[in-house]
Structure formats: C-alpha cells, structure tokens
Amino acid sequence: MSLIKEIDFGTPIRVADKTVTLSIDGMNVTVPEGTSVMAAAMSLGTKIPKLCATDSLEPFGSCRLCLVEIEGRRGTPASCTTPAEEGMVVRTQSENLAGLRKGVMELYISDHPLDCLTCSANGDCELQDMAGAVGLREVRYGYEGENHVFAKSADGLANENWLGKDTSNPYFTYDPTKCIVCNRCVRACEEVQGTFALTITGRGFQSRVAAGPTDFLGSECVSCGACVQACPTATLMENTVIAMGQPEHSKVTTCAYCGVGCSFKAEMQGDKVVRMVPYKDGKANEGHSCVKGRFAWGYATHADRITKPMIRAKITDPWREVSWDEAIGYAASEFKRIQGQYGREALGAITSSRCTNEEVFLVQKLVRAGFGNNNVDTCARVCHSPTGYGLKTTLGTSAGTQDFKSVAKADVILVIGANPTDGHPVFASRMKKRLRQGARLIVADPRRTDIVKSPHIKADYHLQLLPGTNVALINAIAHVVVTEGLIDQDYVRERCDLADFEIWARFIAQDHNSPEATEAFTGVPAADVRAAARLYATGGNGAIYYGLGVTEHSQGSTMVMGMANLAMATGNIGRDGVGINPLRGQNNVQGACDMGSFPHEFTGYRHVSDDATRQVFEMMWGVTLDVEPGLRIPNMLDEAVGGSFKALYVQGEDIAQSDPNTQHVTAGLSAMECVVVQDLFLNETAKYAHVFLPGSSFLEKDGTFTNAERRINRVRQVMAPLSGKAEWQVTIDFARALGYEMAYCHPAEIMDEIARLTPSFAGVSYDKLDKLGSVQWPCNEKAPLGTPLMHVDRFVRGKGKFMITEFVPTEEKTGARFPLILTTGRILSQYNVGAQTRRTANSAWHDEDVLEIHPFDAENRGITSGDLVALASRSGDISLRAEVSERMQPGVVYTTFHHAETGANVITTDYSDWATNCPEYKVTAVEVRRTNYYSQWQERNREEDVSLRRIAGKMTGRLPDAAE
C-alpha cells in the first residue's frame, strides 16, 4: 500500500459543449472551452510550477510562478488565468521562464524559515517541491532586512512583523512565519466552504492571513479543514501530523457521521490514523469536509471503548468480562428460554443506522429467520419513516429524487424544516455556492438558522411558522399555485393521475387552505406565503430540501405527501435542479431502511405479506417466514411495560437517550429480562442491558453505507477490530448459537446475497463499487451504472398520485400551565446522541445542551443568558442553561439532545405521526422558569451512571458518556 495521490490540475476542468485544441510544448491537447492553459498542460502530464493555484479553487494569478510563453503574445502570462484557445501554441519551458521562476522562488524563500528538516510539512510541502522544480540553489537576499521569520532582529530587539503560532483550534495550528500569502486558505473558506471566516489583513509586506480580529477558535471558522487542505506550506497544519509525522499509506473509506456520506482518504502510519483527508473523487463531497468527518475520528480509539464482551444477570449487578463464546452463548440461551416461556413474539431487534448495509441486513435476517418473527425496527422510525411512507405513496419509492450536485442547477431552493449548515454542512456548502451564483431561497423554519442569513446569503422569504403547522403552510402554498393558475398543466396531464389531481385541486382550492385562513395557525403573513408560492412556481427549477422538522410531527407523513403534491403540480420532479430531497441524519439511515429494517418490509421496501416476495426469501434462507408485520419500537416498549415483550437485541442505537419520553423508554427496557447491546461504549441503553457485545467503529469495518442521495459507498477497514471480531461476524455467531446457520466469509458475499434478493440492488457488487467509486440505486439491468435522478420519464409507481393533505392540529396543546412550545434539533460540532463527538475535541465548541429562548419570553421570566432554568412538560422536567437568542420567535424555545446528562427527551411526549409512529419531537408544550437545582430525573440519572455501569474488578466512577 502507498499514499493515494490525486492529480491537481491547478484550476478546475471546465464543463462545456465546445472544445478547443492547442499545442503545448509541441504536443496537441483538446480540452473543454474555458479550461486554463495550466489545466490543459496537466492533462498532458506537464506540471507547470505553481503555488497559488489548486483545482478546487478558481484561478487567482498571484504567485507568478506559473508563467508561460504563448506564440504571438507579448510577455509571459500566468497559465492559471489564461484560457486555452483554439490553435494556441504554448511553451512551458525556456531560459527566460526558468530565470523568472527562479527569481520569484528566491523572493518567497527570502522570507521563509529554512527549517525544512524539522518542519511538519517535510515530505508534503509544495513550496519545497517548487523550489526543487525551478532549480533554486541559493537565496541572495538573506534575512538581514525586514522579515516575518524571527521573533527578534539581529540587534536583539522585538520584530514587530513577527507573529507567534495560533494553537487555539484543537485540530490544527496556524504558523504565520511560514505563510507565503498565496490566498488559498482565504479562497477555500469563501469558494468551497462559503463561511468567509478568513481574510488578508494589511497591504504589501504587511499582508497576512487572519481569522478576523480574533484567534481561530474564537472566529467564525467552522473547522471544516478546507484551509488546511489548501495550504501549500506548513502554515496551516493538522496537529496530528505535527505530533506524528507524515503518513505512509492510505485507503479510501466513507465517513460515519451524517447522511451526506463523504469519501475520505484515511492516511495512516501502520494501523494508526494520522489524518482523514476528503477525497476529491468522492461524488458526494468532491474533496470537501466538515469538522466531524475531517477531525472528529478520535473516538474510535478513545479510552472509553469497551473491547471485551460482558454479561450480568441483573442490571444492578456489576458487569463481568467474559469470552466471546460465553457472552454469545449466554445471550442465545436467554433468548431461547424467553421464547420458550413467553412465545415467539417476545423477542425483537433494533438495527443501526451507523452500521453497514451488510451488518444491518444480517440483523434483520436473524430476526426473520432466526427469531421467527418480524419484530425488527430501526432508528429511521424516529426520524425519516414518514419520508418512506409519503414518497412511496405519491411517487412510488421511499427515497429522495436527486443527487447532491443537482442543486447546482436549481433556480429556487425551498428549505423546509432542515438546518443544512449544522446538520449537513458539506451539502450546505454546495447549496450556498449556488445561492451566491444567484439562485433564490425560501426557508420555512420556526428558528432563524444560518441558511436564512449568512455572508453573501440571504433568504428571499423566511416563513417562520409555528411548530406543528407545516401541513397548513404547504397547503397554503399549493392553494396559491392552484388558484392563481400556476400549475404545469402539460406535466400533470402527462405524468400524473388526473382523477387524483382533480380531487386534490378542488380540495386545495378551498378557502380554508388559503394563506389568509392558515395564517391564524402558522403565524406566517399571508402576503409572504403568496409571494413565496409564486417564486417557487414561476422561478425556474424548484428544488425542495427538507429534514426532521418535516418528519418528526404528528402529520409528518402528510407533510411529505404535501411537498410531493406541490412538486408534481409545478412540474418540479424528474430533471436536474428540482426534486424532493430528504436530508437524512445518519450515515446509513437510508441503507438501514433499504435493507429491510422495518417490521413490515423486506429489503427494497416490499411488504412481508406479499407472497411472491416472501417465497423468494424463504427459498434463499431455507425457512418459513412470518406473514404478519412485526412490532415497531414504540410497540416493543409498550408491550414490554405490559409484560409480553421480554428480550431485545440493540445494534448500535441508544434508544434510552434518542427516543422520546425517556422515562417510558427506560421503563420498557427495565421490564425486559434480556437486553443485548452491541456498541462502542457503555451508552445510556447499556445501563439497562444484560449482555454487552463490543462493536466496531467505521475504521474497523468492511462494507457499504448508503447516503441520502441513494449513493452506495464502500467502507474499507483501515485497522483491525479492537474487540477481535467484526460486527457481521458477531451476528453470525449469535444466529448459530440460536440454531440458525449463516455462512459468509466476507461482507462482499453478504452484498451478493442482497443483490440477489433486492431488485434495486441487483447490479451492485464490490467489484463494481471499486471500479466506479460508488453507485446510486436502482442499479440493475436497466441502470447498470446506477440512477442519479429518479422519475425522469415516469414515476416509479407509474402515474404520480396526488393525496389529500388535510391539516389536523397536533394534540399537544399549549395552555396556562405550559404556554411555550419546545422544538429540538442539532448543532454543527455534535452528532446525534453525542457518544462519538463528545469523545473528541469537538466539545470545545459545544460542551452542554442549552435552551434558546427569545428575549421577550426571557424578560417575562427574569431569565438572562447563563441562568440555570427548569424546563418542564407533561412528560417530565430537566434543568439546563439558558441562552437568550433572537433566533427563536416569541413563544418557542429550542434545545439540542447531544448530551446524555441533560435528558432532553425526558421532556418530549409519546405523540407521533399517524402513519409511521415517528415521534413528534418538534412540538412539546413546556414552561420555563429560573431554578437553582437539577431535576430529580437528572440527579437519579447521575447516580445510575455509576451504579448501572460498574465493571467487576475495575474502578467505579462517573463515566464520560453520562455527562461531560
């Protein structure tokens, strides 16, 4: 193995219908029109020296190192800023050019430390490479004059030009003495990330990079790593490289955080990760990253990792470390005993959206073929299950319609109930780039998120609706489209069921769906709704992107169908730049659903009651399968409290922290006789477990993840599982101990079985993924290279189906006792329940959950930022710090759920989506008041963090997972 080195063309290769042919050093080359001479030369394998240029950024032309000679032109133009032209004759080498380049390099080196042997960039320094490329052998100017290199001048006085290192950021160091002011970091922050956190201060010799008027940690920098990656010297360098040195080999794998599914090069020394570098050929991220994927991978080797199996008879007993055989044997014997005593339906499992497709497939197979029931569910139950129901009903498939790059062709972007800059930051950077190019933006969200207004971005309309009124708002938008004649009649006539459309159109045109009538529910001015509706319907390509602010409602499925209705009515499905696109929260939540993790569906979203489908699985698996759908997660917990559900296998999920009404969840877990948890850490759910099976991090896995755009990406093992077993092997061993044989030698064989059983995956194999990099399902005979865009000529279900979407207010009501509405969400630096990110330096940005409250509500309650406040609902109460913020509207408060000790889901209720039981996290009636103590639940939880996590023979104490 060796380091994967990607070609840097210096400037972007343009996309154009027309090509031009030119001669470079006597060789002809044909490139798309608009391509630079530098990139054209690199296409021939000719590397023109450069420092300020890299192909992720637009040409800049500041370093003057890439000079060339062009026949018929005066002077020596910069090849990076000179477009290739038909018939152009270019020379990249001559005595004149060599002298000029050497002189430029001499000037750079005259104000640069010559500590190459001890420099952290030694072996990976473009400045060093270019000095060699131009043949620089001496520097005539020396350091006697003004410089930025030394803290003191030759006479011992302080050098006012010198700046010390900025080590404030936990992940990288800024060393101004090594900066050549190439502007690559500043441009990366602007062009790639879109944050505009960096700038060049001063002029001429006083020019230097700055993160605003403060240090990097205190600045607007979001630590995406784009500046570090762009830097050609050691000015911006990963702290891990400074500490460990340069990596010696790498593998391409896939990030295990959000649903964007970024590809990374894991750069290694032996089995130690040195750094994670975003992979340019990764189609989801195209060389970009966020703070989590780029830097927050240290949890994989954190001291809290549990690497030995453990068992205990009661949850109040200390854990006892045992062998794999004993742990699996004990779990199997308990499951057999329980099933024999209480019946076949007393067992179930929850699959993980953080595990690979192959691992998830095996768990649902274990349940159906080994347990003999369909009691399997997944975390999508509590996030995007309404997406599956709503899109399948209207369009025919349970997934988004576009690939991520489609947003580059959108003219109007409608963001509903999503916070992409925090939840899906790499995709948000794509979106912001398109917005800076002139696309229009409509945001529907109770909270003023960063996408509403940030540098060079401002929404045309922010529809700041009240939580729980999504359906009323989407109906009002559709009402304007219908009543003002903005329907795409030709599209509807050709692509949709006309009878359904006419029924829907009559319904949506009724007065109670008008913006004026719905304003009483939504709080959004009718004029804004009408203007936004007209913009979406008439502004060109209209693309909808949505998140959990859509699905986690009692009418989540209704809202998804409402968005589908709107997109079909305006002809915005089936081509680039349009569509309905769920921004899924976890790395493989799409894949977990695809793999048959719902209790009513096999892989590929086929119902368990379908005889033909079930017979295929029975023939392949050699058992008779249950015809009845199994229990959903809420049903399992209800039945456990009722006494009939007794055993649960939890693969990589923490339902005791992530699911609503925590006290009901823990009551259900406590009532079970055997809970098996497979995870990296002793999480909240593990406090109620009887068997702990160590899991493996993404760095230890071989398999695939499927991201939010249906893209199947390879996950490649870069280090051996710390526990000695891969998770897919553990599931096989568990199945065998239960008496059901599974025989696989490698995850590739599991994928082969998935392909045989699942029509949308029929063409997927590891060989194909290795050749193509990734594919988007459906991938089969009709689409052997995958399907970037869905529903191009026809909908999967045939004709698009319009659905009636009557607005039904939530049963969760505010009143005198609970006058405010709580809604929840995520923050950039933390991920989901925080088990991974809290074990990294990301806590430097967010070390506790806080309650955002509007100044009006805060003043009425005597609350100021930093106060400890009690947050109470009908379900329970907790205490946390307040943050007074105008992001919220009066009457609405907001918090995150990343920290276990906060217990945000103690507050949330059991109300859920009518079709899928997706919890209504986004609407909880609450009251807020100042307090000086933590709640009874929090105090009890702190005690249980110790008492229920004890490991025999090891020191007891409060574990970091509980609170940090």
Side-chain angles (χ1 to χ4, degrees):
M1 291 185 292
S2 61
L3 276 175
I4 298 167
K5 292 289 187 180
E6 299 153 289
I7 296 173
D8 185 352
F9 289 89
T11 64
I13 296 289
R14 303 302 183 187
V15 177
D17 294 330
K18 186 179 178 182
T19 60
V20 296
T21 299
L22 66 159
S23 171
I24 300 178
D25 296 333
M27 299 181 66
N28 288 340
V29 61
T30 300
V31 294
E33 187 177 45
T35 300
S36 71
V37 169
M38 176 182 283
M42 194 64 223
S43 299
L44 285 172
T46 299
K47 297 181 181 179
I48 298 176
K50 61 181 177 63
L51 282 172
C52 73
T54 185
D55 60 11
S56 63
L57 305 174
E58 290 299 313
F60 194 61
S62 73
C63 75
R64 314 313 294 173
L65 201 62
C66 69
L67 306 176
V68 294
E69 294 174 345
I70 300 175
E71 198 170 277
R73 292 196 186 183
R74 297 175 59 186
T76 51
S79 61
C80 65
T81 57
T82 303
E85 296 178 5
E86 183 67 33
M88 182 181 275
V89 178
V90 179
R91 285 185 296 276
T92 69
Q93 299 293 336
S94 71
E95 287 189 19
N96 180 44
L97 290 172
L100 290 171
R101 289 171 182 162
K102 194 175 292 186
V104 170
M105 276 303 305
E106 197 173 358
L107 290 170
Y108 275 119
I109 298 302
S110 71
D111 193 26
H112 193 85
L114 296 179
D115 59 350
C116 295
L117 293 180
T118 57
C119 177
S120 59
N122 187 18
D124 187 28
C125 176
E126 291 183 47
L127 186 68
Q128 192 179 65
D129 293 343
M130 291 304 103
V134 303
L136 185 67
R137 297 294 176 262
E138 63 176 344
V139 179
R140 292 168 292 172
Y141 308 115
Y143 295 111
E144 286 76 15
E146 286 192 88
N147 66 80
H148 300 93
V149 177
F150 301 109
K152 293 185 177 181
S153 60
D155 56 10
L157 298 177
N159 179 2
E160 62 182 21
N161 294 317
W162 181 85
L163 288 178
K165 294 179 181 179
D166 180 350
T167 59
S168 61
N169 189 290
Y171 292 122
F172 60 84
T173 293
Y174 169 50
D175 184 352
T177 66
K178 297 185 177 180
C179 180
I180 61 173
V181 199
C182 64
N183 275 262
R184 276 165 60 165
C185 59
V186 176
R187 291 149 56 209
C189 190
E190 295 175 0
E191 297 175 25
V192 179
Q193 169 57 29
T195 297
F196 294 80
L198 304 183
T199 189
I200 300 294
T201 63
R203 291 181 179 275
F205 191 72
Q206 302 303 323
S207 299
R208 62 183 76 225
V209 173
T214 181
D215 59 19
F216 269 83
L217 184 63
S219 73
E220 295 297 311
C221 170
V222 294
S223 299
C224 67
C227 60
V228 180
Q229 191 169 352
C231 182
T233 69
T235 307
L236 289 161
M237 182 61 69
E238 298 96 335
N239 290 339
T240 51
V241 174
I242 294 172
M244 301 171 65
Q246 293 295 328
E248 44 80 20
H249 76 272
S250 56
K251 277 188 179 181
V252 175
T253 190
T254 304
C255 179
Y257 279 115
C258 78
V260 174
C262 296
S263 295
F264 279 87
K265 295 182 294 182
E267 296 194 341
M268 314 287 293
Q269 290 178 354
D271 64 350
K272 307 296 183 186
V273 179
V274 177
R275 63 184 173 190
M276 299 291 288
V277 180
Y279 187 46
K280 281 167 56 176
D281 287 339
K283 293 183 176 62
N285 59 318
E286 296 182 332
H288 191 34
S289 59
C290 80
V291 62
K292 295 189 285 290
R294 182 70 157 89
F295 296 115
W297 39 266
Y299 70 88
T301 52
H302 195 277
D304 288 348
R305 278 286 299 271
I306 303 296
T307 59
K308 295 181 180 179
M310 301 187 298
I311 62 174
R312 58 184 176 183
K314 302 190 299 292
I315 64 172
T316 53
D317 293 341
W319 285 105
R320 181 168 60 88
E321 293 181 348
V322 296
S323 68
W324 274 108
D325 287 345
E326 184 175 353
I328 290 171
Y330 178 76
S333 66
E334 281 295 281
F335 273 45
K336 289 178 181 177
R337 175 188 67 79
I338 289 168
Q339 206 161 30
Q341 182 176 349
Y342 298 101
R344 190 180 64 180
E345 298 296 325
L347 312 179
I350 299 172
T351 69
S352 175
S353 294
R354 292 184 289 134
C355 289
T356 65
N357 286 317
E358 295 77 6
E359 291 164 344
V360 169
F361 175 83
L362 290 191
V363 171
Q364 65 88 32
K365 180 177 180 178
L366 167 69
V367 173
R368 301 187 198 282
F371 294 1
N373 62 44
N374 288 316
N375 292 340
V376 61
D377 208 353
T378 189
C379 93
R381 173 67 53 211
V382 300
C383 59
H384 270 285
S385 51
T387 287
Y389 182 93
L391 294 184
K392 186 171 184 179
T393 301
T394 52
L395 311 181
T397 190
S398 301
T401 60
Q402 316 294 117
D403 58 4
F404 287 143
K405 71 178 183 180
S406 167
V407 74
K409 295 184 180 180
D411 298 308
V412 179
I413 299 171
L414 175 54
V415 178
I416 308 179
N419 185 5
T421 53
D422 282 20
H424 305 85
V426 172
F427 173 72
S429 292
R430 283 185 187 264
M431 182 184 289
K432 289 190 290 184
K433 184 175 184 178
R434 179 58 185 149
L435 292 170
R436 292 196 301 275
Q437 292 169 346
R440 310 286 293 276
L441 176 64
I442 304 164
V443 177
D445 200 292
R447 185 169 174 259
R448 194 188 72 233
T449 59
D450 285 344
I451 201 69
V452 173
K453 186 178 181 181
S454 56
H456 301 280
I457 300 296
K458 184 177 181 181
D460 292 85
Y461 301 98
H462 178 203
L463 310 179
Q464 197 167 12
L465 73 168
L466 285 170
T469 63
N470 287 341
V471 173
L473 178 64
I474 204 72
N475 285 350
I477 294 173
H479 177 92
V480 176
V481 171
V482 171
T483 58
E484 295 189 5
L486 304 179
I487 292 168
D488 187 332
Q489 297 285 357
D490 292 339
Y491 183 94
V492 171
R493 192 177 299 110
E494 178 184 349
R495 299 285 304 272
C496 304
D497 186 303
L498 285 179
D500 288 336
F501 167 74
E502 289 169 359
I503 294 170
W504 171 79
R506 285 194 296 271
F507 157 76
I508 214 73
Q510 293 173 12
D511 288 342
H512 74 276
N513 288 318
S514 70
E516 290 74 18
T518 57
E519 183 176 343
F521 298 102
T522 66
V524 181
D528 288 351
V529 176
R530 288 191 175 275
R534 292 166 188 149
L535 175 59
Y536 174 78
T538 65
N541 287 339
I544 297 174
Y545 294 92
Y546 71 94
L548 303 182
V550 161
T551 56
E552 291 178 345
H553 286 275
S554 59
Q555 282 200 287
S557 294
T558 308
M559 180 60 181
V560 173
M561 293 187 290
M563 293 185 300
N565 291 340
L566 178 64
M568 288 189 292
T570 54
N572 277 312
I573 300 178
R575 62 183 185 278
D576 269 325
V578 298
I580 310 168
N581 306 284
L583 297 177
R584 292 181 176 263
Q586 297 198 56
N587 54 298
N588 200 38
V589 67
Q590 179 69 60
C593 300
D594 299 340
M595 291 300 100
S597 291
F598 288 133
H600 65 291
E601 289 176 333
F602 292 118
T603 61
Y605 305 97
R606 293 162 296 163
H607 204 278
V608 295
S609 64
D610 182 75
D611 292 339
T613 299
R614 196 174 61 258
Q615 287 168 10
V616 172
F617 280 84
E618 289 175 340
M619 182 175 63
M620 185 73 73
W621 292 350
V623 294
T624 300
L625 300 176
D626 195 349
V627 67
E628 295 295 330
L631 297 175
R632 298 170 174 178
I633 294 173
N635 306 140
M636 295 179 193
L637 295 170
D638 290 343
E639 294 298 315
V641 172
S644 60
F645 188 86
K646 292 293 183 179
L648 182 64
Y649 175 26
V650 184
Q651 176 199 44
E653 289 297 332
D654 193 3
I655 61 172
Q657 185 179 343
S658 65
D659 283 31
N661 195 346
T662 298
Q663 296 182 85
H664 179 64
V665 174
T666 56
L669 291 169
S670 299
M672 297 180 197
E673 296 183 9
C674 186
V675 175
V676 178
V677 167
Q678 187 172 19
D679 216 300
L680 304 178
F681 307 105
L682 276 174
N683 58 23
E684 297 301 297
T685 304
K687 294 193 300 191
Y688 303 92
H690 306 85
V691 180
F692 187 92
L693 304 176
S696 53
S697 73
F698 78 109
L699 297 171
E700 303 152 55
K701 293 181 185 292
D702 256 319
T704 57
F705 293 151
T706 305
N707 74 351
E709 53 174 356
R710 298 170 284 103
R711 186 178 301 283
I712 306 163
N713 260 319
R714 280 282 278 118
V715 183
R716 294 179 176 89
Q717 185 182 95
V718 301
M719 54 192 277
L722 299 187
S723 67
K725 275 186 184 288
E727 288 191 43
W728 61 273
Q729 294 172 320
V730 175
T731 304
I732 290 173
D733 291 345
F734 189 26
R736 286 173 177 165
L738 288 168
Y740 181 72
E741 184 67 27
M742 294 187 193
Y744 307 95
C745 297
H746 190 272
E749 297 177 2
I750 305 172
M751 177 54 74
D752 291 342
E753 182 174 320
I754 294 167
R756 288 193 295 270
L757 286 168
T758 314
S760 56
F761 276 66
V764 179
S765 68
Y766 279 27
D767 285 344
K768 179 173 287 188
L769 294 174
D770 289 341
K771 289 175 184 175
L772 300 180
S774 63
V775 296
Q776 290 172 265
W777 66 258
C779 178
N780 46 35
E781 286 186 8
K782 294 181 179 178
L785 301 181
T787 310
L789 301 178
M790 297 288 287
H791 319 294
V792 172
D793 298 314
R794 63 188 296 275
F795 291 105
V796 171
R797 71 179 308 278
K799 295 287 188 179
K801 184 176 181 62
F802 284 83
M803 297 293 294
I804 299 299
T805 53
E806 188 72 67
F807 170 57
V808 179
T810 175
E811 294 182 34
E812 178 70 353
K813 308 292 186 185
T814 56
R817 188 179 171 199
F818 301 109
L820 305 176
I821 298 174
L822 169 71
T823 190
T824 61
R826 300 183 179 187
I827 200 164
L828 171 63
S829 60
Q830 296 291 348
Y831 171 70
N832 206 0
V833 296
Q836 294 156 264
T837 44
R838 281 187 285 112
R839 290 178 170 85
T840 71
N842 278 28
S843 292
W845 291 279
H846 188 271
D847 60 358
E848 64 177 334
D849 295 314
V850 298
L851 184 75
E852 289 185 13
I853 184 169
H854 189 272
F856 176 83
D857 296 319
E859 185 176 356
N860 283 345
R861 291 163 175 78
I863 294 170
T864 59
S865 289
D867 285 350
L868 187 67
V869 297
L871 176 66
S873 73
R874 295 178 179 92
S875 296
D877 65 292
I878 59 172
S879 298
L880 69 170
R881 300 288 170 185
E883 181 177 312
V884 180
S885 169
E886 291 190 355
R887 285 182 180 271
M888 305 311 301
Q889 56 185 299
V892 181
V893 294
Y894 170 89
T895 191
T896 53
F897 58 97
H898 302 304
H899 295 267
E901 75 166 354
T902 306
N905 281 317
V906 170
I907 300 298
T908 52
T909 70
D910 287 328
Y911 291 122
S912 64
D913 175 51
W914 62 271
T916 66
N917 283 134
C918 182
E920 192 169 41
Y921 290 109
K922 304 304 182 188
V923 185
T924 304
V926 297
E927 177 58 295
V928 179
R929 58 176 175 79
R930 292 181 63 187
T931 187
N932 57 8
Y933 58 86
Y934 288 94
S935 73
Q936 290 183 0
W937 180 90
Q938 288 171 317
E939 296 292 351
R940 184 175 68 252
N941 185 60
R942 288 180 179 181
E943 295 174 3
E944 291 177 347
D945 285 339
V946 176
S947 64
L948 300 184
R949 281 191 170 114
R950 293 174 299 147
I951 301 175
K954 296 191 176 183
M955 290 181 62
T956 60
R958 188 158 164 255
L959 295 187
D961 190 70
E964 298 177 4

